[in-house]
Amino acid sequence: MSSRTRARGAKSAAGVHTIRIPRQRGRRSAQPFVVVIPEHPSLTREALGFVGRVLWRFRAALAPTGFALLAWPLAAILHAIAWWSALALAPVAAAPVLWFGFVQLHRPARTAAVVWRAGLALLATAAGAWLAFAAGFGPLAGPLPLLWLLAWLIAQTAWLVVRRSH
């Protein structure tokens, strides 16, 4: 740091923020700069900071919520730019059902594993179908918001149950 911008011998009280602007060359009549920095953050800033820290702390537990919240703008953008993308997403929505059949043929399981696999395939199919319908008709069309809410609640609950059991 240059000696021209560093304050020499200036001391300030704890909690007080000061910014010193160096003198400008060739401007003897220029007005000084005044920078005001509040000593205490506002209540809104404190609340947003608290919410941000909580979300960051539990970010792994809230992964389905993040994906669900990203699905809305993605569907809206796809609907606005290329409504025909729904025609490409529709076959992709059937992929989880095909995965379930393939896995069940090659690695047969019983009881709880089959239930979890079937539930996962059903939820992924519902999410893919929602994305296809939302890209084609818009995310707010008909019962799509309700379907999104139900899929999000089921996915978040299942995610928390699976994470707790391992």
Side-chain angles (χ1 to χ4, degrees):
M1 184 184 253
S2 169
S3 64
R4 290 174 2 112
T5 58
R6 184 175 54 228
R8 293 187 187 135
K11 303 215 177 198
S12 60
V16 175
H17 303 289
T18 58
I19 294 179
R20 306 212 184 270
I21 307 293
R23 287 179 285 149
Q24 302 295 315
R25 291 185 190 171
R27 292 186 174 185
R28 288 185 169 67
S29 64
Q31 296 294 322
F33 290 96
V34 177
V35 179
V36 177
I37 300 176
E39 188 173 330
H40 299 288
S42 67
L43 187 58
T44 304
R45 169 69 176 90
E46 288 287 331
L48 288 176
F50 175 75
V51 169
R53 285 188 297 274
V54 168
L55 290 176
W56 183 255
R57 182 175 177 198
F58 297 109
R59 65 189 180 273
L62 296 173
T65 300
F67 286 126
L69 291 176
L70 285 175
W72 276 89
L74 175 66
I77 290 170
L78 285 175
H79 176 67
I81 294 176
W83 65 266
W84 50 264
S85 63
L87 301 174
L89 289 172
V92 175
V97 174
L98 298 174
W99 168 83
F100 176 69
F102 179 79
V103 169
Q104 198 59 25
L105 275 175
H106 291 317
R107 293 185 182 263
R110 298 178 195 252
T111 61
V114 173
V115 171
W116 276 107
R117 286 177 184 174
L120 181 64
L122 181 66
L123 185 63
T125 301
W130 181 88
L131 186 60
F133 279 121
F137 300 110
L140 295 175
L144 289 178
L146 179 62
L147 292 175
W148 175 87
L149 181 67
L150 289 173
W152 167 70
L153 284 173
I154 292 169
Q156 184 65 53
T157 304
W159 181 261
L160 292 175
V161 168
V162 169
R163 290 197 53 185
R164 185 87 52 184
S165 65
H166 290 328

